[in-house]
Amino acid sequence: EAGVTQFPSHSVIEKGQTVTLRCDPISGHDNLYWYRRVMGKEIKFLLHFVKESKQDESGMPNNRFLAERTGGTYSTLKVQPAELEDSGVYFCASSLRQGEGYTFGSGTRLTVV
Amino acid sequence: AQKVTQAQTEISVVEKEDVTLDCVYETRDTTYYLFWYKQPPSGELVFLIRRNSFDEQNEISGRYSWNFQKSTSSFNFTITASQVVDSAVYFCALSNLSWGKLQFGAGTQVVVTP
């Protein structure tokens, strides 16, 4: 079974540009989570999808971040326009059902210069 | 509000030494769950353990052991006889649900040299 896959693994963009991160959860997993680790600090929750619906988006930092999960399969996280403080590692995780253990991907390292 | 503190930023040891990672948490919930994850150089977060607040028994899994003490709000992790492959960042996390939103600590980088 394939794990959680994230694209790209690394991205370097200039301040003001747009970047889209993608997460492919484990097939059949309804729950999808986004987290990020900024500047070597703690990993912080961003949001949680159940299928295509946003269950909890309390961790989204501001309106420059837009997460989607069309069709309840893969998810994208768009940052527009990117700022320097958005640099960090963005993790995605998925689980079959809420309340069950979830599997993380390897993350996307985003560098905004 | 929940909070997880991992005061040790980096720990360096020589192979075969023991290393203990500290984790102190804050929560007002009576039921909660504590986790440890490992992030090796390859980047993915690897689940190590989950413990609920009602189970204070210490746990051992191979060279890994965990000491949960509610009295001091700590959930410490010890690697016995460390190996180079143990080099990684280790994160402690807290959730008020069995597998809910996780509140992570800042992580501790463990460097094991031969």
Side-chain angles (χ1 to χ4, degrees), chain B residues 1 11 14 27 31 35 37 41 44 49 52 54-55 64 69 76 78 81 84-87 92-93 97 99:
Chain B
I11 300 175
V14 177
T27 180
T31 301
F35 303 76
Y37 280 86
E44 75 277 17
I49 189 172
N52 75 55
F54 297 106
D55 182 3
Y64 294 170
Q69 292 194 339
N76 296 338
T78 297
V84 173
V85 293
D86 296 326
S87 296
C92 181
L97 297 174
W99 276 100

Side-chain angles (χ1 to χ4, degrees), chain B residues 10-40:
Chain B
E10 181 171 329
I11 300 175
S12 294
V13 296
V14 177
E15 212 170 15
K16 297 184 182 177
E17 288 184 340
D18 297 347
V19 56
T20 295
L21 311 181
D22 298 333
C23 173
V24 175
Y25 62 91
E26 297 175 28
T27 180
R28 293 181 179 177
D29 297 313
T30 53
T31 301
Y32 52 89
Y33 297 82
L34 294 162
F35 303 76
W36 275 95
Y37 280 86
K38 174 182 180 179
Q39 185 187 25

Side-chain angles (χ1 to χ4, degrees), chain A residues 33 35 37 40-45 56 58 89 91 98-107 109, chain B residues 4 37 39 42-47 50 89 91 97-108:
Chain A
Y33 306 81
Y35 286 80
R37 188 185 189 206
K41 296 186 178 178
E42 68 270 23
I43 300 171
K44 286 193 172 182
F45 169 83
D56 181 352
S58 60
V89 181
F91 292 100
Q98 199 164 350
E100 292 188 352
Y102 45 86
T103 303
F104 279 90
S106 298
R109 181 174 294 278
Chain B
V4 176
Y37 280 86
Q39 185 187 25
S42 52
E44 75 277 17
L45 287 168
V46 178
F47 167 75
R50 180 189 66 146
V89 182
F91 293 93
L97 297 174
S98 178
W99 276 100
K101 180 167 59 177
L102 298 176
Q103 177 72 42
F104 284 88
T108 298

